[in-house]
């Protein structure tokens, strides 16, 4: 089960990661390296994502707190994605 202290520690790590990524993108753009990400971009949200067990627990707990209709929509979209991935040999 996800404890409050584990969640707080994880948030701290992800905040530090976000700060580091903002700096990395800034430096890349300043040196002429194209970076496709921008405000509102959701490209990484539609890619296959590898998550740790702990991250999966955080996601599970977050989904469990969503309103029932939203939660059901997440489950339906996940099942549809899993069916497409399995059919494509990604499992």
């Amino acid at each position: 089960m996800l404890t409050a202290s584990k969640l707080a520690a994880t948030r701290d790590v992800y905040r530090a990661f976000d700060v580091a990524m903002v700096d990395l993108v800034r430096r890349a753009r300043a040196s002429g390296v194209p970076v496709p990400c921008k405000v509102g971009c959701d490209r990484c949200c539609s890619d296959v994502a590898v998550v740790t067990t702990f991250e999966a627990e955080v996601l599970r707990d977050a989904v469990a707190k969503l309103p029932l209709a939203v939660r059901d929509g997440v489950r339906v979209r996940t099942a549809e994605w899993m069916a497409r991935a399995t059919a494509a040999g990604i499992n």
Side-chain angles (χ1 to χ4, degrees):
M1 188 62 175
L2 187 62
T3 65
S5 62
K6 282 183 182 178
L7 182 58
T10 301
R11 285 186 179 143
D12 290 344
V13 168
Y14 282 112
R15 283 187 187 115
F17 178 79
D18 285 346
V19 169
M21 288 306 297
V22 166
D23 183 57
L24 178 66
V25 168
R26 181 193 54 74
R27 289 185 291 129
R29 286 184 174 146
S31 64
V33 175
V35 180
C37 301
K38 63 184 185 300
V39 174
C41 177
D42 65 353
R43 176 70 184 144
C44 60
C45 295
S46 60
D47 286 339
V48 175
V50 177
V51 297
T52 65
T53 301
F54 181 75
E55 290 168 325
E57 290 174 359
V58 171
L59 290 168
R60 179 201 61 213
D61 291 352
V63 170
K65 293 177 184 174
L66 294 171
L68 182 58
V70 176
R71 193 170 53 228
D72 288 345
V74 169
R75 287 187 178 126
V76 166
R77 288 188 304 279
T78 301
E80 290 169 350
W81 186 92
M82 289 297 297
R84 288 191 310 274
T86 300
I90 304 169
N91 52 7

